[in-house]
Amino acid sequence: MRKIKGFKLVLRPHEVKRRAKKAGLDLETAGLPEPALNKFLERAAKGLVPGVLFDTFSCPDDDQPILSPLPGLAYSLILAGLGDGFAAVREKESSLPDGLWPILTEVALDEAVRFASGIIADEAEKDNCELSPMTTFSEGTALEAVLRKLDGAKLGVTAREGRLAPSASVAVSLSWLAKSKAKGRSK
C-alpha cells in the first residue's frame, strides 16, 4: 500500500465554474469573477492537506465481488481525503455562498483521485493492462472493506453509519483489464 500526503492540489477554475453553473450557482453574482475566482482557488488549495492511500490486489480474493467493478486480472483501490477540508478557509471567506463549498470539495477529491489513478494507470500500462472506468463506493459494506484493506486510519478516515468520515473523503475502485492483442494489428 502506498500513502502520499500533502501533495500539491490544483483546483481548476473551469471545472469549478462548470459545476457551479450546473448547480445553479452564479459565481459572478457571488463576487467571484474570473480573476477573483482564480486567486481564491489558489488560496483555498493551499489550505488543504490532501492525502491518498492506494494499492492493487490480485484476483481472486475474498473482497473482489464487492470491490472490483469488472472481473479482471486485478483491481486497485484508492482512498482519498482532504483532512479538515476547507474548514479553515471557509471561516475566513464567510461572504461566499454555502453552495460553493460542496462543489470545491468534490473538485478537490476528484483531483486527488486523478493524481492516484494516474500512478496506477502507469503501473497497469507496464503490465500491458488498461483500467476500467472508476467505481465510487457509497454502500457501507464496500466502504468498510476498503477501509480494512487500505487501513483508513492512516488518513484519519473511518466509516460511520455507512458513510466515510470526515465527509471530505472518497473511496473508488478500478479493475485491471488485459489489453487486447488485436489492437493495432493491420489486416
Side-chain angles (χ1 to χ4, degrees):
M1 174 183 53
R2 287 198 268 174
K3 172 184 172 183
I4 303 174
K5 197 165 182 180
F7 52 91
K8 183 178 179 183
L9 198 65
V10 176
L11 300 174
R12 296 178 295 162
H14 69 276
E15 187 61 23
V16 171
K17 286 193 296 189
R18 185 184 70 78
R19 291 184 192 201
K21 183 176 180 181
K22 189 175 179 182
L25 189 61
D26 185 356
L27 295 177
E28 296 262 340
T29 305
L32 287 173
E34 183 99 22
L37 176 64
N38 294 344
K39 287 180 182 175
F40 164 71
L41 292 177
E42 286 176 22
R43 284 192 315 271
K46 287 178 184 172
L48 293 176
V49 182
V52 291
L53 295 173
F54 56 98
D55 205 351
T56 299
F57 303 91
S58 299
C59 293
D61 79 358
D62 293 342
D63 295 316
Q64 179 189 357
I66 59 171
L67 296 179
S68 181
L70 294 171
L73 304 174
Y75 65 95
S76 293
L77 298 175
I78 301 171
L79 181 64
L82 303 176
D84 291 334
F86 293 103
V89 178
R90 194 172 182 170
E91 286 178 24
K92 294 177 187 171
E93 305 281 349
S94 59
S95 64
L96 296 176
D98 286 340
L100 180 61
W101 300 105
I103 292 167
L104 293 177
T105 300
E106 190 178 284
V107 168
L109 285 171
D110 286 353
E111 285 297 314
V113 167
R114 197 166 68 92
F115 169 75
S117 64
I119 295 169
I120 294 168
D122 290 345
E123 292 170 357
E125 183 72 30
K126 290 176 188 170
D127 286 346
N128 204 29
C129 291
E130 55 192 9
L131 298 175
S132 70
M134 207 172 295
T135 298
T136 303
F137 296 114
S138 58
E139 191 268 318
T141 308
L143 291 173
E144 290 190 18
V146 171
L147 292 174
R148 184 180 67 250
K149 286 180 112 46
L150 293 180
D151 190 11
K154 290 185 177 186
L155 279 185
V157 177
T158 59
R160 290 193 196 126
E161 300 172 13
R163 299 190 116 136
L164 291 177
S167 61
S169 308
V170 67
V172 300
S173 178
L174 300 150
S175 291
W176 290 43
L177 309 171
K179 283 187 179 178
S180 172
K181 295 185 192 248
K183 283 186 180 176
R185 283 190 186 164
S186 59
K187 293 183 181 181

